[in-house]
Amino acid sequence: MGSVISIKNLTKSYGSTKAIDDLNMEIAQGEFFGFLGPNGAGKTTTIRILTGIIKVDKGEALINGFGLEEKEKIASIIGVIPESHGFYNWMSAWEYLQFFADLYGIKRNKQDALFKSLLQQVDLLNNKYSKIGTFSRGMRQRLGLARALINSPKILFLDEPTLGLDPQGQEDIQRLLKRLNQDGVTIFLSSHLLPEVSNLCSKIAIISKGKLIAQGTLDELRRTTHAKEQYYLKIQGDFAPSSLGKFPGKFFNVSHKSDLSELTYEGSLEDANELLNILKTEDMNVLEFYPATDSLTDIFLKLTK
């Protein structure tokens, strides 16, 4: 599939500070794309540029083939949950959706069925006539998602979409996002909830200080932090790696508890198998042996420290 979002040399400065520094990314049609970085890394600035809120200083981007200057065309095919919503507290949820439906030119005779469907998807149908000023933060987040879907967008830009939701609410929204993605919607997700990103996203980019520092699938990101594979071992008895002499690779996280030794070995699969053979020859009882994989949180901390 071709790229539905193409970003080339994107740069944005505020005074002498570069919020985005020569950013290049390609997001494929139908991808669930995670966009990560520490606070102040440039995530929200990037989303604001791509959705037409602020202008770029240098570089270019195409959104479904439209240049950033084609704001109306881009607006017609995207949905956005911004970092902070601009709600009208005196409106009901129904009136709020109607306000935006009118802006998109959705005919009034089609609005009732659309609003019922959207509010049902985000579990707010029973609150359709309640004033937004009475809504909790989580309810506002869900209403914001309903509004973002009002024009049946091809691309969703989400900045912390589950912020303020309880675990059940987060799971419900994640399930809805997965279904939308399976139906062909491209999703560009920025979130500090790294387990959420790991669970949802097929490809992930990490930026720091406005620069792209890593991009790829979770397995590809793992390989950027480890030149060689890592393996976890639990061995019965008191095992000291130094007893192996100049064995290839390296050992770390070695600990001893009661009659058990736990450690991580980094090296090739061939060397790991040779290690197992040596331990067997020396009558060491290996209780557990499996690849040790970093979580997305581990990778994020290593790349942004």
Side-chain angles (χ1 to χ4, degrees), residues 37-303:
N39 288 333
K43 305 183 300 298
T44 296
T45 297
T46 301
I47 290 176
R48 287 176 175 171
I49 290 171
L50 297 179
T51 56
I53 304 299
I54 58 177
K55 290 184 178 181
V56 66
D57 294 338
K58 190 178 74 172
E60 60 183 24
L62 294 176
I63 311 297
N64 202 44
F66 301 128
L68 294 177
E69 71 281 358
E70 300 178 271
K71 291 185 179 182
E72 289 188 7
K73 291 180 179 178
I74 291 174
S76 70
I77 62 164
I78 68 171
V80 184
I81 293 186
E83 183 182 29
S84 56
H85 297 279
F87 289 108
Y88 304 105
N89 289 336
W90 50 270
M91 285 184 175
S92 68
W94 194 272
E95 289 169 335
Y96 181 74
L97 293 181
Q98 190 170 68
F99 175 78
F100 282 95
D102 288 344
L103 289 178
Y104 279 108
I106 298 172
K107 294 180 179 179
R108 284 291 179 102
N109 62 0
K110 294 184 178 181
Q111 289 183 8
D112 280 9
L114 174 61
F115 299 168
K116 286 178 182 178
S117 174
L118 291 174
L119 291 172
Q120 189 168 34
Q121 288 181 73
V122 297
D123 196 27
L124 285 177
L125 188 57
N126 291 335
N127 305 94
K128 61 184 177 181
Y129 297 133
S130 300
K131 299 298 183 184
I132 297 173
T134 67
F135 282 12
S136 68
R137 186 172 187 175
M139 292 171 72
R140 289 172 179 246
Q141 284 294 104
R142 299 203 302 272
L143 180 59
L145 179 56
R147 193 262 307 144
L149 297 174
I150 205 164
N151 60 324
S152 301
K154 294 182 178 180
I155 306 168
L156 268 178
F157 289 93
L158 309 176
D159 199 350
E160 305 289 353
T162 59
L163 185 67
L165 300 181
D166 60 26
Q168 184 60 56
Q170 290 179 9
E171 185 175 323
D172 291 342
I173 294 301
Q174 290 170 10
R175 188 182 303 112
L176 173 57
L177 294 177
K178 282 183 178 180
R179 183 180 62 75
L180 290 167
N181 183 242
Q182 289 168 357
D183 289 342
V185 178
T186 302
I187 300 179
F188 188 106
L189 169 68
S190 175
S191 174
H192 283 110
L193 298 177
L194 300 190
E196 175 178 81
V197 175
S198 180
N199 177 47
L200 293 174
C201 298
S202 53
K203 193 173 181 180
I204 300 163
I206 300 175
I207 65 170
S208 182
K209 298 179 181 178
K211 284 185 172 290
L212 181 68
I213 57 175
Q215 182 176 201
T217 64
L218 186 53
D219 283 340
E220 288 169 344
L221 292 179
R222 287 189 178 111
R223 288 195 286 273
T224 67
T225 58
H226 294 300
K228 296 184 178 180
E229 296 295 325
Q230 293 185 347
Y231 303 89
Y232 168 80
L233 293 99
K234 181 184 285 188
I235 303 169
Q236 191 165 22
D238 189 7
F239 170 71
S242 58
S243 65
L244 297 175
K246 295 182 178 180
F247 191 82
K250 63 180 180 179
F251 299 88
F252 52 96
N253 296 338
V254 180
S255 65
H256 303 284
K257 301 175 184 177
S258 300
D259 192 35
L260 295 175
S261 299
E262 296 181 59
L263 64 149
T264 302
Y265 170 72
E266 183 176 270
S268 67
L269 178 60
E270 292 77 12
D271 288 338
N273 286 328
E274 178 61 21
L275 173 61
L276 290 177
N277 290 331
I278 292 173
L279 294 173
K280 184 178 180 181
T281 300
E282 297 186 3
D283 295 323
M284 301 293 290
N285 184 15
V286 179
L287 302 176
E288 294 183 34
F289 170 78
Y290 54 81
T293 56
D294 281 349
S295 68
L296 181 56
T297 300
D298 296 326
I299 295 166
F300 179 84
L301 293 174
K302 287 178 181 178
L303 291 175

Side-chain angles (χ1 to χ4, degrees), residues 9-68:
N9 308 119
L10 214 60
T11 301
K12 176 68 178 179
S13 297
Y14 295 102
S16 60
T17 302
K18 281 190 175 181
I20 300 296
D21 191 358
D22 200 33
L23 185 64
N24 292 274
M25 296 192 302
E26 300 287 335
I27 294 93
Q29 171 68 44
E31 198 157 59
F32 207 132
F33 187 84
F35 192 51
L36 305 180
N39 288 333
K43 305 183 300 298
T44 296
T45 297
T46 301
I47 290 176
R48 287 176 175 171
I49 290 171
L50 297 179
T51 56
I53 304 299
I54 58 177
K55 290 184 178 181
V56 66
D57 294 338
K58 190 178 74 172
E60 60 183 24
L62 294 176
I63 311 297
N64 202 44
F66 301 128
L68 294 177

